[in-house]
Amino acid sequence: MARILIIDDDGSLAELLGRHLGKMGHEVDYAGTIADGQALAAYKSYDVVYLDVGLPDGSGLVLLPKIKEVSNPPEVIIFTGKGDPDGAELAITSGAWDYIQKPPSLEQLTLPLLRALEYRKEKAIQSRAALKVDGIIGSSPKMKSCLDLLAQASNTDMPTLIFGETGTGKELFAKAIHDNSPRASGPFVVVDCAALADNLVESTLFGHERGAFTGADKASPGLIRQANKGTLFLDEVGELPLSLQKPFLRVLQEHRFRPLGGRTEVESDFRLVAATNKNLEAMVEAGEYRQDLLFRIKGHVIHLPPLRERGEDIREISMGIIVRLCERYGKPTKGVSADFFRALSLYPWPGNVRELITTLERALADAMDEPTLHPNHLPVALRVKLAQSGLRPEAGPAQGAPPAPPCALNGDELPVLKDYREAILAEAEAKYIRDLLAKTDGNIKDACRISGLSRSRLYHLIQKHEIRQS
């Protein structure tokens, strides 16, 4: 999925193009003026920008160099209602990817997009090859996509927001972004917003002078100032108190703030990386989160998939954990039976990689000096859940999965387990979205609130499964 910005005051063309790109699975934003386009390009990171020349507040060509000046600039496709050779030359020499004359066909608009995205993909793969990714394991398509985004985020100073369930590795990704950025030699300061004490949250972030409040017997610089020349990682940013969101937005914009009890402002040159497992867009709609702050922190966006959606990585991740744990305890690396890996692949891992680490540590402890891990070394609670679901290491779909499609296992040959599991999960996903829309009578706002999905993710799933909305 690419992030695309269409800057054009021709609403019918923009809507037609946007709908076509949405069906292709891309995320699309719109702007009708130079000012709005520049604001969006400053807030968010895009892969491709479609830019019209004739805009209400001037020539779009004026905006082109400004777009190309941002970190990790997008590819820009110019379209215009006037065939202007000089304008075409200016556009190309200023860094435009292509120059198209109106009225264009969808094919004329789509072909340069495909080429631009292929170019960016190749560039990202080259960047990914040199990444420092300590602790991040996985070569599934979804993980490769996340690493591509990590590489892009590392090359910029733009705020980055990481979404993911608990245990998916959000802090590992945040640290990798820092380690691969020009700020790698600076500090990496972690702020757990969920653990901030209500009466100390402001002084913890902004610092305080001596005597600023009862118990402040000495001055403290605060975590924001400690992150100067480095990266500030706000974990569980959805827990940041509403009362502090406006002051923090100003800090993000100005990089200046006043400590509690201070008379003058201080500066901190930090780069922000934030993470959450909450649906911030739903929180904005509920009045629980500031929309302007959300816009500001959503520069680059990385959605980390849960472990159940990248089952092909479980073997690689598990071996890495086993080797590391055996080294830690001074034991020889154990062998692993095929049935053991099969059992791991059938469990849905609600706690994701964090739960997998704990499970493997307990299995190693149970195996003691035995040279090979078998399913009976797994925690009893996990084996009980598999048994209760009718699952055994020998065969079967993942826990909680719906019955197989009627003809899935007919015939003389069984499908590959991975293909069978993916087909079942896809069917379950489609059924969930259909039931969700039926329950909410097609109300997207209510559907997002119930499911925890963002609007863009929900629309993507609707298009993916070709679900008709009433």
Side-chain angles (χ1 to χ4, degrees):
M1 182 181 72
R3 301 178 75 184
I4 300 170
L5 173 61
I6 300 174
I7 307 175
D8 189 2
D9 62 332
D10 184 344
S12 58
L13 175 60
E15 184 179 356
L16 176 65
L17 176 59
R19 191 162 55 244
H20 178 67
L21 297 177
K23 290 180 180 178
M24 295 172 65
H26 302 309
E27 179 182 332
V28 184
D29 289 330
Y30 304 90
T33 64
I34 292 175
D36 290 345
Q38 186 172 354
L40 277 172
Y43 270 127
K44 298 176 68 173
S45 176
Y46 293 97
D47 297 293
V48 174
V49 173
Y50 283 94
L51 176 62
D52 186 21
V53 172
L55 293 168
D57 50 348
S59 170
L61 294 178
V62 175
L63 184 56
L64 177 56
K66 297 178 182 178
I67 293 177
K68 301 301 288 185
E69 285 174 0
V70 304
S71 301
N72 189 33
E75 312 310 321
V76 180
I77 299 172
I78 299 289
F79 45 36
T80 179
K82 300 178 180 179
D84 179 2
D86 293 335
E89 180 181 359
L90 176 61
I92 299 302
T93 56
S94 298
W97 179 266
D98 207 342
Y99 187 92
I100 302 170
Q101 186 173 350
K102 289 183 177 180
S105 65
L106 284 177
E107 183 180 10
Q108 286 176 306
L109 291 171
T110 303
L111 283 176
L113 169 69
L114 296 176
R115 293 177 183 134
L117 292 179
E118 183 64 27
Y119 164 75
R120 291 178 70 82
K121 181 180 179 181
E122 292 174 354
K123 188 168 65 171
I125 290 173
Q126 292 176 345
S127 300
R128 190 176 70 212
L131 285 177
K132 301 173 185 176
V133 288
D134 292 341
I136 299 176
I137 302 174
S139 54
S140 63
K142 288 190 175 183
M143 186 52 59
K144 287 180 179 178
S145 177
C146 289
L147 291 173
D148 288 343
L149 294 173
L150 189 158
Q152 292 178 21
S154 299
N155 289 327
T156 78
D157 223 19
M158 187 176 290
T160 299
L161 181 58
I162 304 172
F163 288 99
E165 296 178 5
T166 298
T168 50
K170 296 187 291 294
E171 186 169 343
L172 284 177
F173 263 74
K175 185 62 165 61
I177 290 172
H178 170 76
D179 289 342
N180 289 281
S181 74
R183 295 176 177 268
S185 60
F188 178 75
V189 178
V190 180
V191 181
D192 184 353
C193 296
L196 292 174
D198 290 342
N199 60 333
L200 295 175
V201 60
E202 194 169 357
S203 64
T204 300
L205 289 175
F206 301 121
H208 61 262
E209 299 296 334
R210 180 180 179 184
F213 52 86
T214 302
D217 53 353
K218 60 181 180 180
S220 170
L223 295 176
I224 293 176
R225 196 171 182 183
Q226 289 179 22
N228 185 45
K229 302 300 182 184
T231 300
L232 180 70
F233 174 49
L234 291 188
D235 196 11
E236 302 302 342
V237 70
E239 302 290 342
L240 188 67
L242 192 59
S243 60
L244 275 186
Q245 290 177 22
K246 184 175 182 179
F248 186 71
L249 175 62
R250 180 179 180 274
V251 175
L252 274 179
Q253 293 171 335
E254 307 294 337
H255 286 269
R256 298 177 61 86
F257 58 94
R258 190 189 305 274
L260 289 180
R263 296 184 177 181
T264 59
E265 290 189 330
V266 296
E267 295 184 356
S268 180
D269 174 20
F270 65 92
R271 186 263 178 91
L272 177 72
V273 178
T276 184
N277 61 3
K278 292 193 171 184
N279 185 339
L280 297 185
E281 292 178 349
M283 292 180 66
V284 167
E285 292 181 356
E288 299 171 353
Y289 211 82
R290 293 184 64 95
Q291 187 175 51
D292 48 5
L293 178 59
L294 178 58
F295 282 152
R296 193 69 181 88
I297 64 179
K298 282 180 66 175
H300 291 280
V301 177
I302 302 176
H303 289 270
L304 297 184
L307 189 56
R308 62 183 174 275
E309 291 184 6
R310 55 186 188 104
E312 56 265 59
D313 287 334
I314 289 179
R315 178 186 289 267
E316 185 180 357
I317 295 171
S318 299
M319 282 308 306
I321 294 170
I322 291 169
V323 169
R324 189 169 68 248
L325 289 173
C326 288
E327 289 177 350
R328 180 193 300 175
Y329 296 115
K331 302 286 186 179
T333 301
K334 292 186 181 295
V336 183
S337 71
D339 284 350
F340 185 87
F341 276 132
R342 202 171 293 123
L344 294 183
S345 70
L346 296 175
Y347 184 67
W349 300 109
N352 294 294
V353 178
R354 188 175 297 164
E355 182 184 9
L356 177 61
I357 293 173
T358 302
T359 297
L360 292 175
E361 191 163 14
R362 290 177 61 185
L364 287 169
D366 186 74
M368 298 183 67
D369 293 329
E370 295 177 35
T372 305
L373 292 174
H374 295 280
N376 62 294
H377 294 131
L378 289 167
V380 172
L382 186 149
R383 286 187 284 137
V384 167
K385 287 183 179 179
L386 290 174
Q388 288 175 337
S389 302
L391 299 174
R392 294 176 178 80
E394 289 76 22
Q399 180 192 22
C407 300
L409 296 180
N410 289 348
D412 297 329
E413 295 186 3
L414 292 174
V416 176
L417 178 60
K418 174 185 170 185
D419 295 341
Y420 179 61
R421 185 186 298 116
E422 288 179 351
I424 290 176
L425 290 176
E427 184 183 43
E429 186 179 74
K431 183 178 185 303
Y432 177 84
I433 298 300
R434 282 194 293 269
D435 291 346
L436 177 68
L437 294 174
K439 180 179 179 63
T440 60
D441 293 324
N443 187 304
I444 297 299
K445 180 179 179 181
D446 290 344
C448 289
R449 176 180 55 79
I450 292 172
S451 65
L453 296 168
S454 67
R455 282 177 177 267
S456 59
R457 179 60 178 164
L458 178 56
Y459 279 126
H460 171 68
L461 291 175
I462 290 171
Q463 293 161 357
K464 172 184 174 183
H465 297 295
E466 299 181 346
I467 297 172
R468 295 184 177 180
Q469 295 177 261
S470 57

